[in-house]
Amino acid sequence: MKKISYILRLYRKMGRIDRGFLPNLAALVILDSLHPLNGVYFLYYIVRSLETGLNLRAVSLGLCLMGGIELLYYLAMKKLRSVNRVKSMNIRNQLAMELQQKTIRLPFQELENPETTLAQKKALEIFYPTQAEYMDFLNVLNCVQVMLFSVLQLLVLSVLLFCIHWTLVLPLLLLGTVSLWLYTIAGDKKFRVWDKELVAIGRKLSYFQELATNFSYAKEVRLYAMGGWIVSKMKGLTSSYIKGIRKSVLHFSLVGILSSLLLVLGTGISFLRLGQLTWLGVIHAADFVSCVNVVRTFEASMVRAVEAYMTIGQAMSYLQAYRQYMDFPESPRVPRTGQRLLPPGERAQGEIRFEHVSFRYPGAEDYTLKDVSFCIKPGEKVALVGENGSGKTTIIKLLLRLYRPEEGKIYWNGLDISTLALSDYRKAVTAVFQDFKILEDTARNNLCFSEQQPEERIWEVLEETGMREKVQSLPLGLDSYLGKTMYEGGQELSGGEKQKLAIARVLLRDAGMVVMDEPTAMLSPRVEYEIYTHFSQLVKGRSAIYISHRMSSCRFCDWIMVLSGGVIREKGTHEELMALDGEYCGMYTAQAKFYEEIG
């Protein structure tokens, strides 16, 4: 019942997406279920005409009518199926798009949870299947259609057989039910092998196929001679895959044979009873001919209905995964009545204040940040330093509202950032991360996205970051496509050029606070020095947080904050912290000594 209830809810949703989908489906089901009656009736009519005397006119008329109805049926079904196919694909694409939009709305910290990633992958597989047909959403819709018209057809044919003689339908129902029960058990066992073992193996196999063919891994594959290792992994997985298939097919085949024998036995008993009734004169020869056709159609409809039901049941775990994923809690939204909009001037200048902020990742026992408090005044440039895992990135993600503090508050110009309109706040605070992404799109869209920016402003920022000459050299300048995967003639940038473009992207926004997480990691020492030297000019009076493992870069900031174990250990200027002779002094001295030794 749960499966039926969920299918009904799903079809109600599809009906809302496309109002013509359900009426079109109803027409398909009704026509398909009533179609066998055309042959049954006219066969009876023709044989009966021959029985009562050779009436060529009546026979010819019957054949013409039967042929005419078949032609109309064929034309109508061709049109309805074509419409249904288009509507089904549109609905699938719409549901898949809703799933992607759901991913965008999920809290960022939820996306870092491996369970969420697996749930999203499983939910997406129903729309874009990679392995078994029962994962295919379009195939599931087709199976629902087949099951509906098969069940309706069984009801019609059962009534027809019962009206001719009730004993004709009894063996079909009894032995057919037992046969299909066994078939269902075998199918469920086969599905468990597929779903629990083979699908997981298939995902691993797809991963190693990706390693072998994706250009992103090409350097490592060749440098470390990984080819043999990848092939051995794929061979092992393929061997396990084949063993699993043999295991599931063997059991399914044995029970399937028994199931088929029972179904054939039920059909045979009905045929024998039909012959007996004809021999005894209880029914006419015309009834016999028609009933033979009815019994065979009944048998085929029963098999189709159960196979469709099994496929739907197997796909249900993926459909339910889609539903569960769509029910994941999204990022809390501040009611519009409670949102505060920042005036345009406040985006250019802003004070950030952390007050007793603590944060702990879901499922973790220890706090990543513990009672952190600091204030960055408008226009100040602050460096965050510390070992990996000290909490630097967590502070940034809290500041950008990718995470929510477990304790404490974060303020922008005295306003609690959780009460600010998110779209407004994201314009006030922006960042470039170490693992930035360059889109397969034009240089202009990589810089501006959906925002409109004056042409001269774009070139000004490109000049400041040292990218003007490079962009001007591209075939279409700002309108040149970057990357070679999506567009023919796309241009490939070097790692350093991509990083400078990412910095330009951030500087182009009218943000009062700029965060730079290792922004010069892929730049040459000369370009890195130029960016450090002109750092204040680049951010142009805006507040800035700068994360770097290179202690020399900290000297260009107004003051430095040293984190360790989720707490602030030291704060001050470079000179103050060096005089303090604490953690910062130790890190700076060790790094300077290293450079002296290798120099």
Side-chain angles (χ1 to χ4, degrees), residues 134 184-196 198 244-245 247-249 251-253 310 314:
Y134 62 78
T184 303
I185 292 175
D188 284 341
K189 187 173 181 64
K190 178 183 176 183
F191 169 69
R192 282 195 295 272
V193 173
W194 271 98
D195 193 52
K196 303 300 181 185
L198 299 186
I245 291 175
K247 175 183 173 183
S248 65
V249 169
H251 181 86
F252 183 76
S253 299
M310 285 175 58
Q314 291 165 356

Side-chain angles (χ1 to χ4, degrees), residues 296-328:
R296 296 304 301 269
T297 306
F298 188 98
E299 177 189 8
S301 296
M302 184 171 282
V303 172
R304 279 198 306 267
V306 172
E307 287 180 342
Y309 177 78
M310 285 175 58
T311 300
I312 294 168
Q314 291 165 356
M316 192 55 61
S317 65
Y318 290 85
L319 287 170
Q320 288 173 339
Y322 166 75
R323 178 190 173 191
Q324 291 166 0
Y325 186 78
M326 294 300 291
D327 288 340
F328 275 11

Side-chain angles (χ1 to χ4, degrees), residues 398-581:
L398 287 166
L399 172 62
L400 296 172
R401 285 178 64 178
L402 296 175
Y403 296 160
R404 292 173 64 88
E406 192 166 321
E407 299 172 11
K409 298 285 186 182
I410 304 172
Y411 297 93
W412 170 268
N413 282 347
L415 301 175
D416 183 348
I417 65 171
S418 65
T419 66
L420 299 175
L422 185 57
S423 59
D424 220 35
Y425 182 70
R426 290 276 164 82
K427 292 177 182 178
V429 181
T430 189
V432 57
F433 294 102
Q434 185 178 359
D435 56 347
F436 62 88
K437 301 297 179 186
I438 297 298
L439 306 179
E440 296 262 342
D441 209 310
T442 64
R444 185 189 304 275
N445 287 340
N446 266 284
L447 290 166
C448 306
F449 300 113
S450 59
E451 295 181 355
Q452 297 294 324
Q453 293 283 359
E455 192 93 357
E456 58 274 14
R457 173 60 182 152
I458 297 175
W459 289 113
E460 179 185 338
V461 171
L462 290 173
E463 178 72 33
E464 292 171 350
T465 54
M467 276 296 288
R468 182 182 184 117
E469 186 176 338
K470 176 62 181 179
V471 174
Q472 285 177 332
S473 71
L474 298 177
L476 299 175
L478 285 169
D479 296 315
S480 299
Y481 284 97
L482 305 180
K484 297 185 177 181
T485 303
M486 296 284 288
Y487 301 98
E488 186 176 348
Q491 303 297 305
E492 195 66 53
L493 300 180
S494 68
E497 289 168 343
K498 289 178 181 179
Q499 191 153 35
K500 285 191 279 188
L501 194 68
I503 295 173
R505 173 195 292 169
V506 168
L507 298 177
L508 193 60
R509 304 193 71 179
D510 181 25
M513 169 66 74
V514 177
V515 177
M516 292 191 173
D517 183 1
E518 292 284 349
T520 60
M522 285 188 284
L523 301 180
S524 67
R526 181 183 61 80
V527 176
E528 180 187 32
Y529 177 77
E530 289 176 359
I531 287 183
Y532 287 159
T533 305
H534 300 96
F535 185 59
S536 295
Q537 183 183 346
L538 286 173
V539 295
K540 293 188 176 175
R542 291 177 283 187
S543 305
I545 296 179
Y546 195 92
I547 299 177
S548 179
H549 290 287
R550 298 175 185 174
M551 297 296 105
S552 58
S553 65
C554 300
R555 303 188 66 174
F556 296 92
C557 297
D558 296 315
W559 57 278
I560 302 159
M561 183 161 51
V562 183
L563 285 97
S564 178
V567 299
I568 299 174
R569 300 295 183 185
E570 299 171 358
K571 284 193 292 186
T573 64
H574 170 75
E575 290 74 16
E576 290 170 346
L577 295 182
M578 289 299 291
L580 189 62
D581 196 20

Side-chain angles (χ1 to χ4, degrees), residues 233-248:
K233 286 285 186 180
M234 291 176 67
K235 283 182 177 179
L237 289 168
T238 302
S239 176
S240 300
Y241 201 80
I242 293 172
K243 287 179 183 177
I245 291 175
R246 286 175 179 167
K247 175 183 173 183
S248 65

Side-chain angles (χ1 to χ4, degrees), residues 109 354-372 394 397-398 402-410 418:
Q109 63 194 68
F354 275 54
E355 286 193 356
H356 306 290
V357 172
S358 296
F359 179 81
R360 178 171 50 189
Y361 285 92
E365 294 183 2
D366 299 327
Y367 281 90
T368 305
L369 290 179
K370 292 173 279 189
D371 196 26
V372 170
T394 303
K397 290 177 179 177
L398 287 166
L402 296 175
Y403 296 160
R404 292 173 64 88
E406 192 166 321
E407 299 172 11
K409 298 285 186 182
I410 304 172
S418 65

Side-chain angles (χ1 to χ4, degrees), residues 178-180 182-183 254-264:
V178 176
S179 165
L180 298 175
L182 289 173
Y183 191 80
L254 292 174
V255 180
I257 290 171
L258 179 59
S259 171
S260 299
L261 288 174
L262 287 174
L263 193 59
V264 169

